[in-house]
Amino acid sequence: MKFSYAIGSILFALSFLVFPSCAGELTLTDDEKAFLTDMEDMGIPMLYQIPEAMNIGVYHGRDTAISDIATSKTEELKTFSDKISGYTLGTETSVLRDSWLDAEQILKTDLEQYGTLVSGCGSCVSTMNAMYPVLTQSAGKVNKDLIRFYEKNQIPL
């Protein structure tokens, strides 16, 4: 009786050593690996860099800075969105893409409004002050979603 209990305990303990990756590790496809790399290298930084560029354009930009930033950053968003939309992703990974696309939609909408602002204008500065925290919160949410994805699926960084 004690012997079978000991063997059962040993087998139970060994199962964690032999099969540790079964507990939640996700096997990624090549598209998913490429998507995650793009998110780390381009997507997440873009979500922070665009609001910063917008902020600088309002406070320190020359006459055409705001319209130039609005145009170029809108193009960057579209290019990246088109790229990640082309990946075939599994259910769990597509949730990350959806999170990014939600943040992209907020940025895109604000960039449209941003393109109408005038550098140094009081109400324009106020508008940018209202936009900026929302945009950075949105970027932070996507960043947290990515970190949770890596943790949940035991994917090494």
Side-chain angles (χ1 to χ4, degrees), residues 35-121:
F35 166 74
L36 291 171
T37 298
D38 287 345
M39 284 289 288
E40 291 173 30
D41 295 347
M42 293 179 279
I44 298 294
M46 186 182 300
L47 292 176
Y48 288 101
Q49 291 165 353
I50 292 175
E52 189 61 31
M54 292 166 67
N55 201 27
I56 291 169
V58 165
Y59 288 103
H60 306 291
R62 61 189 194 292
D63 292 343
T64 62
I66 291 174
S67 62
D68 292 348
I69 289 168
T71 301
S72 68
K73 298 305 179 184
T74 300
E75 289 171 9
E76 282 180 38
L77 281 175
K78 181 175 179 357
T79 299
F80 187 75
S81 293
D82 289 348
K83 182 177 185 176
I84 65 171
S85 293
Y87 290 126
T88 302
L89 304 176
T91 305
E92 292 186 47
T93 314
S94 65
V95 170
L96 279 178
R97 177 172 48 200
D98 293 344
S99 178
W100 196 93
L101 292 172
D102 289 345
E104 181 252 355
Q105 189 59 46
I106 293 168
L107 261 174
K108 187 175 153 187
T109 300
D110 282 356
L111 277 168
E112 288 172 8
Q113 182 180 5
Y114 177 80
T116 66
L117 301 180
V118 177
S119 182
C121 157

Side-chain angles (χ1 to χ4, degrees), residues 3-54:
F3 180 71
S4 66
Y5 175 75
I7 290 178
S9 296
I10 291 170
L11 289 175
F12 180 73
L14 284 175
S15 70
F16 287 105
L17 297 174
V18 175
F19 305 109
S21 63
C22 297
E25 187 172 321
L26 181 66
T27 303
L28 299 172
T29 65
D30 289 341
D31 267 8
E32 289 172 321
K33 290 175 187 174
F35 166 74
L36 291 171
T37 298
D38 287 345
M39 284 289 288
E40 291 173 30
D41 295 347
M42 293 179 279
I44 298 294
M46 186 182 300
L47 292 176
Y48 288 101
Q49 291 165 353
I50 292 175
E52 189 61 31
M54 292 166 67

